[in-house]
Amino acid sequence: MKTKLATSLAALLLAAPAFADAPEGSVTAITETPGIIGDADDPAIWVHPTDPMASLVLGTDKYNGLFVYNLRGEEVGFFNDGSINNVDIREFSLGGETVWLASATERDEDDIVFYVIRADGTVERASPHRFEGMPEYEGRVRNIYGHAMGRDPETGRVWVYVNFKTGQVAQYEVLDNGGQLDLVQSRVLSVETQPEGMVIDDDAGTLYVGEEDVAIWRFPAFPEDGDEATRIASIPSDCFPRDDIEGLTLYNDGENKYLMASAQYIHRVAVFPIIGDTVPVCAGLVEIAAGDIDGVTETDGLDVVATPLGDAYPKGMLVMMDDQNANFTTNFKFISAADVLESLKLD
């Protein structure tokens, strides 16, 4: 990622980008988190099982650790656990208790780290907290980077997927070993150049991988379904006229499904309707513009849920990292998912 000075200069010098024929929408954020002196990166939204207003947002700071926020954007927790990157969340059965696991990569030690979220909203480090992230793989593997989680809704099996700057995507099954976590490597996929953003469509059993300067790829998410890759979108294209493809997330309300991707250096969210196993076509680009809250620029990570989270988020919430927040900080913006869809006339 660029330094703050380089990023600011690039933003000032960047001419208005040409987005070809892609429709454009514009929305503003509802609220935001406090500024981070480190480097905010990727968020994940945990939906409370009985009280949506008690839901939480986890946000990574890839210099310092993991933040926990409430829906008002207030910090309610922090784990000073190192260079945490690309957090994701899935339901899991641990020691006979239904919990939610949050996991992420830790880039200083090439580790995968885990946290447990309990039904009352308590967040704590899992046991074990860390696992070595380097896969058993013949060849050059360097620098753990992106991460996602997946869960087979039919069997309840849970996986973590971590990628490396050298292109590999390692998949591990997460197991409950008498109330302790365990990981078993399932397979290694790969792309030719550096990936980062990933998201799993649990219902469809598909894994989306963003190869930053090249394309979005779709793989079968579960090992028994094969390794064939399908190209979903390329650079350059209508919604990605230039690099980078960064964060990926999936909106699914049970009727409509949308892949949302951060087009980092044009400061937009690209939205792709997902219909079966066809190759999706980008429906357009959405800007998070300045309003009462400053706009969003150069997003690394984003996450979305379709669950209504109160009056402000009647059809769910999109959370995006903002690289150029006030006073030379970074932070996370909370946006109404309904606003995003309506801006492209998708709702």
Coordinates of all heavy atoms in Angstrom, one line a residue, residues 228-261:
E228 N -11.2 -26.1 -11.0 CA -11.3 -25.3 -12.2 C -11.6 -23.9 -11.9 O -12.5 -23.6 -11.1 CB -12.3 -25.9 -13.1 CG -12.4 -25.2 -14.4 CD -13.5 -25.8 -15.4 OE1 -14.0 -26.9 -15.0 OE2 -13.7 -25.3 -16.4
A229 N -10.8 -23.0 -12.5 CA -11.0 -21.5 -12.3 C -11.8 -20.9 -13.5 O -11.6 -21.3 -14.6 CB -9.7 -20.8 -12.2
T230 N -12.7 -20.0 -13.1 CA -13.5 -19.2 -14.1 C -13.2 -17.7 -13.9 O -13.3 -17.2 -12.8 CB -15.0 -19.5 -13.9 OG1 -15.3 -20.8 -14.1 CG2 -15.8 -18.7 -15.0
R231 N -12.8 -17.1 -15.0 CA -12.5 -15.6 -15.0 C -13.9 -14.9 -14.9 O -14.7 -15.0 -15.7 CB -11.7 -15.2 -16.2 CG -11.3 -13.7 -16.1 CD -10.6 -13.3 -17.4 NE -9.3 -13.9 -17.6 CZ -8.2 -13.3 -17.4 NH1 -8.2 -12.0 -17.0 NH2 -7.0 -13.9 -17.6
I232 N -14.0 -14.0 -13.9 CA -15.3 -13.3 -13.6 C -15.2 -11.9 -14.2 O -16.1 -11.4 -14.7 CB -15.6 -13.3 -12.1 CG1 -15.8 -14.7 -11.6 CG2 -16.8 -12.4 -11.8 CD1 -16.9 -15.5 -12.3
A233 N -14.1 -11.2 -14.0 CA -13.9 -9.8 -14.4 C -12.4 -9.6 -14.6 O -11.6 -10.2 -14.0 CB -14.4 -8.8 -13.4
S234 N -12.0 -8.7 -15.5 CA -10.6 -8.5 -15.9 C -10.3 -7.0 -15.7 O -11.1 -6.1 -15.7 CB -10.4 -8.9 -17.3 OG -10.6 -10.3 -17.5
I235 N -9.0 -6.7 -15.6 CA -8.4 -5.4 -15.7 C -7.7 -5.3 -17.1 O -6.8 -6.2 -17.3 CB -7.4 -5.1 -14.6 CG1 -8.2 -5.1 -13.2 CG2 -6.8 -3.8 -14.8 CD1 -7.2 -4.9 -12.1
P236 N -8.0 -4.4 -18.0 CA -9.1 -3.4 -17.9 C -10.4 -3.9 -18.4 O -10.5 -4.8 -19.2 CB -8.6 -2.3 -18.8 CG -7.8 -3.1 -19.9 CD -7.2 -4.2 -19.2
S237 N -11.5 -3.3 -17.8 CA -12.8 -3.6 -18.2 C -13.7 -2.4 -17.8 O -13.2 -1.5 -17.1 CB -13.3 -4.9 -17.6 OG -13.3 -4.9 -16.2
D238 N -15.0 -2.5 -18.1 CA -15.9 -1.3 -17.8 C -15.8 -0.9 -16.3 O -15.7 0.3 -16.0 CB -17.3 -1.6 -18.1 CG -17.6 -1.5 -19.6 OD1 -16.6 -1.2 -20.3 OD2 -18.7 -1.8 -20.0
C239 N -15.8 -1.8 -15.4 CA -15.8 -1.5 -14.0 C -14.4 -1.5 -13.3 O -14.2 -1.1 -12.2 CB -16.7 -2.4 -13.2 SG -18.5 -1.9 -13.4
F240 N -13.4 -2.0 -14.1 CA -12.0 -2.0 -13.6 C -11.1 -1.4 -14.7 O -10.3 -2.1 -15.3 CB -11.5 -3.4 -13.2 CG -12.3 -4.0 -12.1 CD1 -13.1 -5.1 -12.3 CD2 -12.2 -3.5 -10.8 CE1 -13.8 -5.7 -11.2 CE2 -12.9 -4.0 -9.8 CZ -13.7 -5.2 -10.0
P241 N -11.2 -0.1 -15.0 CA -10.4 0.5 -16.0 C -8.9 0.5 -15.7 O -8.1 0.6 -16.6 CB -11.0 1.9 -16.2 CG -11.6 2.2 -14.8 CD -12.1 0.9 -14.4
R242 N -8.6 0.3 -14.4 CA -7.2 0.2 -14.0 C -7.2 -0.5 -12.7 O -8.2 -0.9 -12.1 CB -6.6 1.6 -13.8 CG -7.4 2.5 -12.9 CD -6.6 3.8 -12.5 NE -5.4 3.5 -11.9 CZ -4.6 4.4 -11.3 NH1 -4.9 5.7 -11.4 NH2 -3.5 4.1 -10.7
D243 N -5.9 -0.9 -12.3 CA -5.8 -1.6 -11.0 C -6.2 -0.8 -9.8 O -6.4 0.5 -10.0 CB -4.3 -2.1 -10.9 CG -3.3 -1.0 -10.9 OD1 -3.7 0.2 -10.9 OD2 -2.1 -1.3 -10.9
D244 N -6.4 -1.3 -8.6 CA -6.3 -2.6 -8.2 C -7.7 -3.2 -7.9 O -8.6 -2.4 -7.5 CB -5.5 -2.7 -6.8 CG -4.0 -2.7 -6.9 OD1 -3.5 -2.6 -8.1 OD2 -3.4 -2.7 -5.9
I245 N -7.8 -4.5 -8.0 CA -9.0 -5.2 -7.4 C -8.6 -5.5 -6.0 O -7.6 -6.2 -5.7 CB -9.3 -6.5 -8.2 CG1 -9.8 -6.1 -9.6 CG2 -10.4 -7.3 -7.5 CD1 -9.8 -7.3 -10.5
E246 N -9.3 -5.0 -5.0 CA -8.9 -5.2 -3.6 C -10.0 -6.1 -2.9 O -10.1 -7.2 -3.2 CB -8.7 -3.9 -2.9 CG -7.4 -3.2 -3.3 CD -6.2 -3.8 -2.6 OE1 -6.3 -4.5 -1.6 OE2 -5.1 -3.7 -3.2
G247 N -10.7 -5.5 -1.9 CA -11.6 -6.3 -1.1 C -12.8 -6.9 -1.9 O -13.2 -6.2 -2.9
L248 N -13.2 -8.1 -1.5 CA -14.4 -8.7 -2.1 C -15.4 -9.1 -1.0 O -15.0 -9.5 0.1 CB -14.0 -10.0 -2.9 CG -13.0 -9.9 -4.0 CD1 -12.8 -11.3 -4.6 CD2 -13.5 -9.0 -5.1
T249 N -16.7 -8.9 -1.3 CA -17.7 -9.3 -0.3 C -18.9 -9.7 -1.1 O -19.1 -9.4 -2.3 CB -18.0 -8.2 0.7 OG1 -18.8 -8.6 1.7 CG2 -18.6 -7.0 0.0
L250 N -19.9 -10.3 -0.4 CA -21.1 -10.9 -1.1 C -22.3 -10.5 -0.3 O -22.4 -10.7 0.9 CB -21.0 -12.4 -1.1 CG -21.9 -13.1 -2.1 CD1 -21.4 -12.9 -3.5 CD2 -22.0 -14.6 -1.8
Y251 N -23.3 -9.8 -1.0 CA -24.6 -9.5 -0.5 C -25.6 -10.5 -0.9 O -25.7 -10.8 -2.1 CB -25.0 -8.1 -1.0 CG -26.3 -7.6 -0.5 CD1 -26.4 -6.8 0.6 CD2 -27.5 -8.0 -1.2 CE1 -27.6 -6.4 1.1 CE2 -28.8 -7.5 -0.7 CZ -28.8 -6.7 0.4 OH -30.0 -6.3 0.9
N252 N -26.3 -11.1 0.0 CA -27.2 -12.2 -0.3 C -28.4 -12.1 0.6 O -28.4 -12.4 1.8 CB -26.6 -13.6 -0.1 CG -27.5 -14.7 -0.5 OD1 -28.6 -14.5 -0.9 ND2 -26.9 -15.9 -0.5
D253 N -29.6 -11.6 0.1 CA -30.8 -11.5 0.9 C -31.8 -12.6 0.7 O -32.9 -12.6 1.2 CB -31.5 -10.1 0.6 CG -32.0 -10.0 -0.8 OD1 -32.0 -11.1 -1.6 OD2 -32.5 -9.0 -1.2
G254 N -31.3 -13.7 0.1 CA -32.2 -14.9 -0.1 C -32.9 -14.8 -1.5 O -33.3 -15.9 -2.0
E255 N -33.0 -13.6 -2.1 CA -33.6 -13.5 -3.4 C -32.6 -12.9 -4.4 O -32.6 -13.3 -5.6 CB -34.8 -12.6 -3.3 CG -36.0 -13.1 -2.5 CD -37.2 -12.2 -2.5 OE1 -37.1 -11.2 -3.2 OE2 -38.2 -12.5 -1.8
N256 N -31.8 -12.0 -3.9 CA -30.8 -11.3 -4.8 C -29.4 -11.5 -4.2 O -29.3 -11.5 -3.0 CB -31.1 -9.8 -5.0 CG -32.5 -9.6 -5.5 OD1 -32.7 -9.9 -6.7 ND2 -33.4 -9.1 -4.7
K257 N -28.5 -11.7 -5.1 CA -27.1 -11.9 -4.7 C -26.2 -11.0 -5.5 O -26.3 -11.0 -6.7 CB -26.7 -13.4 -4.8 CG -25.4 -13.8 -4.2 CD -25.1 -15.2 -4.5 CE -26.1 -16.2 -3.9 NZ -25.7 -17.6 -4.1
Y258 N -25.3 -10.3 -4.8 CA -24.4 -9.4 -5.5 C -22.9 -9.6 -5.0 O -22.7 -9.5 -3.8 CB -24.8 -7.9 -5.3 CG -26.2 -7.6 -5.8 CD1 -27.2 -7.6 -4.9 CD2 -26.4 -7.4 -7.2 CE1 -28.5 -7.3 -5.4 CE2 -27.7 -7.1 -7.6 CZ -28.7 -7.1 -6.7 OH -30.0 -6.8 -7.2
L259 N -22.0 -9.7 -5.9 CA -20.6 -9.7 -5.5 C -20.2 -8.2 -5.6 O -20.5 -7.5 -6.6 CB -19.8 -10.5 -6.5 CG -18.2 -10.4 -6.3 CD1 -17.8 -11.1 -5.1 CD2 -17.5 -11.0 -7.6
M260 N -19.6 -7.7 -4.5 CA -19.1 -6.3 -4.4 C -17.6 -6.3 -4.3 O -17.1 -7.1 -3.5 CB -19.8 -5.6 -3.3 CG -21.3 -5.5 -3.4 SD -22.0 -4.5 -2.1 CE -23.8 -4.6 -2.5
A261 N -16.9 -5.5 -5.1 CA -15.5 -5.5 -5.1 C -15.0 -4.1 -5.1 O -15.5 -3.1 -5.7 CB -15.0 -6.1 -6.4

